[in-house]
Each structure stands twice: as C-alpha cells, then as structure tokens.
C-alpha cells in the first residue's frame, strides 16, 4: 500500500528537485509499467497541459515517484506543488497536491488540487478534478474544475 505520509518518501520526493532525480524516475516508470501489464503507473516525468474552467490553458511538469510522491509546477503559478498519488485500477490513478503562493507581504493563498486520471496509453493520461483556493484565514476563495492531459517524457 502506498503511504502518502511516508517521511522517507517526502525527503526522497523533495530530492527530485535537484540533479538527476526527476530523470531517473522516467526509467523506473517504464520498468514499473512493463513489470505489470495489467496496472499502469504514472511513475516518471510528464509534460502536462492544464485547462481551466474558463478555457484558459497552462503548461506544466509533473514528477510522480514510485513511493507515491508528486512534485509539480506550472506556468500559472511560479511555485512548486507537493502531493501524492495512488493507483486506481483498472486503468488510472488519483492524485492531489498543494501549492502555496507568496508575495513580498507574505502568504497569499493555498491551492489544493484533487484529480482522477485515466491512461489512454502507457505514455498519456487525462484527468479531471477540482482546485480549491484557501485564503490565509482558511476561508474558501474559489473552487474551479480543471482538466489535465499528460504526455510522458524521458531523457532526450
């Protein structure tokens, strides 16, 4: 069972941001996917397109680790998000992450995303879900549906 609160996993996941961490996950993802033809896993690196409810699109990068960690960034925010994922048989996975925004005055808001994804092939997925933005006092600023399409990539 994947434990999204695994302390070692958190430390390992944060290490993805440096060196060759994200690149090595692509190789592991291919191995994980070939080891089990019945269950595809998102482990590896993904180029994504995020479509918001109003039709606005953003580009991003997701890195899924073998132990359930997720690191993400996108053009809509200049901050990284950290989260987790788990398989959702027979052909998908669920993921979620949080991203916090800051300016010169401090904390502005936190965005929490939860999506359900389906593989269209071993190297492509589509997901839908919602993003909820929270103010510093914990009140909800907005809730917005979104759609993500992802394309796996490896070392060029």
């Amino acid at each position: 069972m994947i434990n999204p609160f695994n302390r070692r996993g958190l430390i390992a996941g944060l290490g993805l941001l440096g060196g060759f961490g994200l690149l090595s996950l692509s190789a592991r993802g291919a191995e994980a996917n070939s080891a089990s033809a019945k269950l595809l896993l998102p482990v590896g690196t993904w180029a994504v397109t995020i479509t918001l409810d109003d039709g606005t699109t953003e580009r991003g990068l997701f890195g899924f680790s073998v132990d359930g960690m997720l690191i993400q960034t996108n053009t809509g925010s200049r901050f990284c998000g950290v989260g987790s994922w788990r398989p959702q048989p027979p052909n998908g996975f669920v993921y979620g992450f949080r991203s916090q925004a800051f300016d010169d005055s401090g904390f502005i808001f936190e965005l929490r995303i939860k999506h359900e994804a389906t593989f269209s092939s071993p190297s492509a997925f589509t997901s839908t879900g919602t993003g909820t933005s929270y103010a510093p006092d914990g009140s909800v600023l907005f809730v917005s549906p979104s759609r993500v399409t992802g394309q796996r990539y490896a070392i060029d």
Side-chain angles (χ1 to χ4, degrees):
M1 178 174 204
I2 296 171
N3 180 355
F5 302 106
N6 178 320
R7 178 176 261 159
R8 286 186 186 168
L10 176 61
I11 293 168
L14 293 175
L16 294 175
L17 296 176
F20 296 101
L22 281 174
L23 297 177
S24 70
L25 286 177
S26 291
R28 283 195 223 162
E31 291 168 12
N33 285 337
S34 66
S36 174
K38 294 180 183 174
L39 181 64
L40 294 173
L41 300 176
V43 175
T45 51
W46 296 81
V48 299
T49 301
I50 302 157
T51 304
L52 304 176
D53 192 34
D54 66 1
T56 304
T57 60
E58 302 172 357
R59 293 177 57 175
L61 301 173
F62 286 9
F64 294 94
S65 72
V66 72
D67 63 354
M69 290 293 301
L70 164 61
I71 304 290
Q72 76 77 226
T73 188
N74 65 289
T75 55
S77 90
R78 296 182 318 248
F79 308 99
C80 288
V82 178
S84 60
W85 70 272
R86 68 177 180 273
Q88 185 168 324
N91 190 33
F93 60 100
V94 176
Y95 66 92
F97 61 86
R98 293 182 183 194
S99 180
Q100 296 181 337
F102 299 87
D103 66 11
D104 291 339
S105 65
F107 178 67
I108 306 171
F109 66 89
E110 179 174 277
L111 182 61
R112 298 178 189 176
I113 303 291
K114 183 170 182 188
H115 269 234
E116 292 190 20
T118 303
F119 288 102
S120 54
S121 75
S123 61
F125 77 83
T126 300
S127 68
T128 57
T130 59
T132 304
S133 180
Y134 293 89
D137 66 4
S139 63
V140 173
L141 296 171
F142 66 85
V143 177
S144 178
S146 58
R147 181 175 192 265
V148 174
T149 56
Q151 196 68 38
R152 189 185 299 274
Y153 71 91
I155 299 171
D156 292 333

